[in-house]
Amino acid sequence: MAAEAEAAVQALSLQEQHEEAKKAHQEYYKRRVELFSQYKARADEAKAKAAAENVPIKVILPDGAEKPGVKGVTTPLDVATAISKGLAKKVVVAKVDGAVWDLTRPLEGDCALQLLSFDDAEGKETFWHSSAHVLGQALELEYGADLTIGPALEEGFYYDCFLGNRTLNDAEKAVITKRMQQAVKEKQAFERIEVSREEALSMFQENKFKVEIISELPADAVISCYRCGPMVDLCHGPHVPNTGLLKAVGVNSMSRAFWRADVNREPLQRVYAITFPDDKELKEYQHRMEEAKKRDHRNVGTQQELFFFHPLSPGSCFFLPHGARIYNAMVEFIREKYWEFDYEEVMTPNIYNFDLWKTSGHADHYRENMFSFQVEKAEFGLKPMNCPGHCLMFGNRNRSYRELPLRLADFGVLHRNEYSGALQGLTRVRRFQQDDAHIFCRRDQVKEEIMAYLKMMGEVYDVFGLDYKMALSTRPEGYLGELEVWNAAEAALEEALNATGREWEMNPGDGAFYGPKIDITVFDALRRKFQCATVQLDFQLPIRFNLEYVTEDGSYQRPVIVHRAILGSAERMFAILTEHFGGKWPLWLSPRQCMVVPIAEGVYDYAHLVRRQLRKAGFHVDVDVADRKMQKKVREAQLAQYNYILVVGEEEKAAGTVNVRTRDNQVHGQHPLDHVIEVMSRERKTRSRVGLFGEHNGEAGAAADGSAEAAH
């Protein structure tokens, strides 16, 4: 009772702190709105002047249709309404000459216009960015928060706010949701103004975070601000016309953050939330998130005793025996692919003198993410990637064109100094391994090498059952190297992508400064997106390391380096696959492939004989000799996700058979042990994602054929 009373006092104290903060900020919020209205009067005058001038403009729609308008007056929403009221209700943002644009912002001249809904990528981003402003409004009104930044995410949004020593907990979710729903009900208009840097500083002078952002802008910067209800914020926009479109609201979670992601700066509270145009979509999302929680690799890892983390080595995973089985099976799969696609596996040091990183450029641009230390008065560092070491390997002796392409693969241990607050299970770690490889090739070999890589990647992802999409990222503004070389490389990548027969997208100007790349986005069973595989051309590292090969005519030429990975971080892929399969591992990856269940003590010897035979065939197999009923043993083996449960009694012992069950409670009856081993071996060899054990040989054979076809 004393503890409950103390908690109640603390809660009351926290609530009083919230009330005090709200009171302290009231004048600031009020003055901010007054200044916004004052500056908005200029925009209203400009619109009135434009209406009086009545300068006609042409608005071209995607189908080529032309709509009339008035410069500085007509808005995209006006155009949508003229087409149909239904369209006007559905659209959330526009694109004007390719740039996203508020639906209520006047058009400034002749233009091409696209009208976008929530179903479009830019529509979702705008919808969730607008929702972040409503979340910010709730945080100000409920807690007197100092807002920092609130971006849209791939799915949803968050807002970081400063509350001093105060923190938020899950009990606040309902409070924030209710306040956001109130703003939605009020259908607050999103209004836009443009101000000078000095005017922006006057509006946000009591928020040191906004002041810091504004002060970093050029003195002559034109800054856009938006208002919805009592909330005014710095923002590049665009936004939906009003908060009424954000019909379904859900607050997901709270977490800690730091201003500018710097642990030495002010501690912040981060609130994650989601909105949708209707309740049905919100409920579907929440159901998906509940399923994701069940599949969370951290929970499954604990339940199945796969791995753990320890504070004495933050961000470095301890893989337990069952976790190591999965990890090794995954790596061995890639090793088989390396053999098939003619790669050479190498091993390189973990520690290098920092002169290496100065040559590669990482000392200047990546030092803060590296672990460094002194050895005999010289600076050394743990490697965060393998490419510089592979460059040393290539440059170790003279190379001939006959040796190219040279494909060097490395599973070496890597270390990156991630902030402790950013560490998250296996998806963000400090110690990891990659299926990292570098291809040193001639320029005329690039296309063929990329095609082979994409084929290998496709085969690996098909086995895992992971869908993916690809995008070509081309030359950025600050690119290094010759334009002719870039054009040829981009053309080779484009041809390789076309050869896959899959759809792909173009990301103009999104390549690295040292070469174009193909970005691969992976989707798991819950359609969540991940970045794992990567393939990147590099023209600059060969220059930095002075790498050359002798050409056919005896001259020297620099190779092109292809950086490539499929799993990416093996730890991250382990997490993705754990959640993708929901802990129900396919046989070839499974750490618990078979459980032998003896019915009585009299057949323990036969149960262990069965185990020895299965183990001889290379399977992970256990025997349950606990003093429990057979049904209880079977059920526990199914819950532990053993792929096969083999029940044995006197009858099976006499016949040399086993009674086959699966974790999904399919009973296949008695079968000779050698037949069971044969089917399981075929299932493992083909890396089938489904069990191949049928009620008769024909069924099993047909399933095996189908699986093999799917896997390749």
Side-chain angles (χ1 to χ4, degrees), residues 164-177:
N165 295 324
R166 295 172 290 152
T167 58
L168 300 177
N169 54 47
D170 283 351
E172 306 296 337
K173 288 182 183 178
V175 176
I176 298 170
T177 300

Side-chain angles (χ1 to χ4, degrees), residues 148 160-164 208-209 212 256-269:
T148 61
D160 281 349
C161 66
F162 179 69
L163 295 173
K208 64 180 181 179
F209 305 100
E212 185 174 326
R256 270 182 52 184
F258 293 94
W259 176 232
R260 298 284 171 93
D262 185 346
V263 294
N264 297 311
R265 295 295 305 270
E266 295 85 348
L268 306 176
Q269 288 286 299

Side-chain angles (χ1 to χ4, degrees), residues 3 50 147 260 283 300 320 365 401 418 450 526 560 584 611 623 639-640:
L147 301 179
R260 298 284 171 93
K283 288 176 181 176
V300 175
L320 296 164
H365 304 290
Y401 71 94
E418 301 282 0
I450 298 298
L526 298 178
V560 175
K584 295 183 177 181
R611 178 183 182 273
V623 179
L639 292 174

Side-chain angles (χ1 to χ4, degrees), residues 1 28 253 309 397 490 507 601 694:
M1 291 296 293
Y28 162 54
S253 62
F309 288 88
R397 63 169 174 80
E490 289 174 2
N507 285 339
E601 189 174 347

Side-chain angles (χ1 to χ4, degrees), residues 295 297 326 330 464-466 524 567 571-586 588-589:
R295 293 171 175 242
H297 73 279
I326 299 169
M330 192 167 59
F464 290 143
L466 295 170
D524 70 359
L567 302 181
E571 281 75 4
R572 181 175 172 81
M573 182 57 78
F574 190 113
I576 292 169
L577 293 178
T578 302
E579 297 179 7
H580 177 61
F581 293 123
K584 295 183 177 181
W585 301 98
W588 73 273
L589 272 175

Side-chain angles (χ1 to χ4, degrees), residues 74-80 94 96 101-105 107 113 115:
T74 301
T75 67
L77 190 58
D78 293 332
V79 177
V96 176
W101 196 272
D102 298 274
L103 286 173
T104 55
R105 181 179 173 185
L107 300 170
L113 176 68
L115 298 168

Side-chain angles (χ1 to χ4, degrees), residues 478-681:
Y479 74 94
L480 297 179
E482 301 171 9
L483 179 59
E484 181 183 348
V485 173
W486 273 85
N487 289 339
E490 289 174 2
L493 295 185
E494 190 168 340
E495 289 174 25
L497 284 166
N498 289 333
T500 65
R502 296 177 65 100
E503 291 185 3
W504 57 276
E505 299 173 355
M506 183 73 80
N507 285 339
D510 205 36
F513 69 90
Y514 49 81
K517 62 178 178 175
I518 297 174
D519 291 312
I520 297 104
T521 303
V522 178
F523 300 89
D524 70 359
L526 298 178
R527 299 305 294 170
R528 294 173 299 180
K529 298 179 182 179
F530 301 94
Q531 185 80 44
C532 300
T534 183
V535 59
Q536 166 82 61
L537 299 190
D538 191 338
F539 309 129
Q540 295 305 309
L541 217 50
I543 296 173
R544 283 182 167 273
F545 281 89
N546 195 28
L547 303 182
E548 295 178 323
Y549 64 90
V550 180
T551 66
E552 196 169 2
D553 63 9
S555 62
Y556 287 88
Q557 184 68 260
R558 296 205 188 280
V560 175
I561 296 179
V562 181
H563 304 259
R564 41 74 64 223
I566 294 175
L567 302 181
S569 157
E571 281 75 4
R572 181 175 172 81
M573 182 57 78
F574 190 113
I576 292 169
L577 293 178
T578 302
E579 297 179 7
H580 177 61
F581 293 123
K584 295 183 177 181
W585 301 98
L587 185 70
W588 73 273
L589 272 175
S590 180
R592 295 176 174 87
Q593 295 171 327
C594 190
M595 173 65 83
V596 183
V597 176
I599 291 176
E601 189 174 347
V603 293
Y604 281 4
D605 58 339
Y606 180 62
H608 285 289
L609 173 64
V610 170
R611 178 183 182 273
R612 287 194 296 273
Q613 291 296 101
L614 283 161
R615 186 170 172 78
K616 186 177 179 181
F619 290 101
H620 303 303
V621 55
D622 297 305
V623 179
D624 189 342
V625 293
D627 185 18
R628 290 175 299 193
K629 290 183 178 180
M630 180 270 287
Q631 292 85 351
K632 178 73 170 175
K633 293 180 181 181
V634 169
R635 182 58 182 154
E636 290 196 357
Q638 290 172 336
L639 292 174
Q641 300 304 327
Y642 282 87
N643 300 71
Y644 289 98
I645 299 99
L646 308 181
V647 179
V648 295
E650 291 293 348
E651 185 178 337
E652 286 80 11
K653 179 179 178 180
T657 62
V658 292
N659 201 297
V660 182
R661 297 166 185 253
T662 59
R663 64 184 172 200
D664 56 2
N665 209 29
Q666 294 294 310
V667 180
H668 297 289
Q670 276 193 56
H671 290 271
L673 180 58
D674 59 353
H675 171 63
V676 174
I677 292 174
E678 177 192 340
V679 174
M680 289 177 61
S681 296

Side-chain angles (χ1 to χ4, degrees), residues 90-300:
K90 186 178 180 182
V91 294
V92 297
V93 73
K95 285 181 88 172
V96 176
D97 292 333
V100 284
W101 196 272
D102 298 274
L103 286 173
T104 55
R105 181 179 173 185
L107 300 170
E108 297 173 353
D110 295 342
C111 62
L113 176 68
Q114 290 176 266
L115 298 168
L116 306 175
S117 72
F118 180 77
D119 295 331
D120 297 295
E122 294 96 336
K124 283 185 173 64
E125 183 178 359
T126 300
F127 194 92
W128 286 327
H129 188 187
S130 302
S131 302
H133 281 238
V134 177
L135 172 57
Q137 179 183 144
L139 294 172
E140 286 191 337
L141 296 181
E142 288 295 336
Y143 309 108
D146 285 323
L147 301 179
T148 61
I149 59 169
L153 301 172
E154 191 77 33
E155 194 169 40
F157 51 94
Y158 71 80
Y159 219 120
D160 281 349
C161 66
F162 179 69
L163 295 173
N165 295 324
R166 295 172 290 152
T167 58
L168 300 177
N169 54 47
D170 283 351
E172 306 296 337
K173 288 182 183 178
V175 176
I176 298 170
T177 300
K178 185 177 179 180
R179 177 64 78 168
M180 291 180 70
Q181 288 170 335
Q182 183 178 331
V184 171
K185 187 177 180 180
E186 292 171 3
K187 297 183 179 180
Q188 300 166 354
F190 275 92
E191 300 175 295
R192 180 182 186 275
I193 61 170
E194 292 182 351
V195 296
S196 68
R197 192 176 77 162
E198 290 306 312
E199 289 170 336
L201 286 169
S202 69
M203 291 177 72
F204 296 97
Q205 60 183 304
E206 293 188 32
N207 184 323
K208 64 180 181 179
F209 305 100
K210 302 293 183 183
V211 167
E212 185 174 326
I213 293 170
I214 297 166
S215 299
E216 292 171 352
L217 298 173
D220 58 351
V222 176
I223 301 167
S224 58
C225 298
Y226 283 80
R227 175 189 174 188
C228 61
M231 193 268 199
V232 178
D233 206 357
L234 294 170
C235 189
H236 56 73
H239 289 291
V240 299
N242 66 74
T243 59
L245 276 70
L246 317 174
K247 291 185 172 65
V249 177
V251 176
N252 295 334
S253 62
M254 288 85 165
S255 68
R256 270 182 52 184
F258 293 94
W259 176 232
R260 298 284 171 93
D262 185 346
V263 294
N264 297 311
R265 295 295 305 270
E266 295 85 348
L268 306 176
Q269 288 286 299
R270 176 169 296 179
V271 181
Y272 290 93
I274 189 79
T275 53
F276 288 98
D278 58 60
D279 287 330
K280 180 184 176 184
E281 288 183 86
L282 176 61
K283 288 176 181 176
E284 289 173 352
Y285 167 84
Q286 290 173 334
H287 174 74
R288 189 156 44 88
M289 291 302 102
E290 283 302 314
E291 183 62 27
K293 285 181 183 177
K294 295 176 188 175
R295 293 171 175 242
D296 190 309
H297 73 279
R298 291 164 293 187
N299 296 334
V300 175

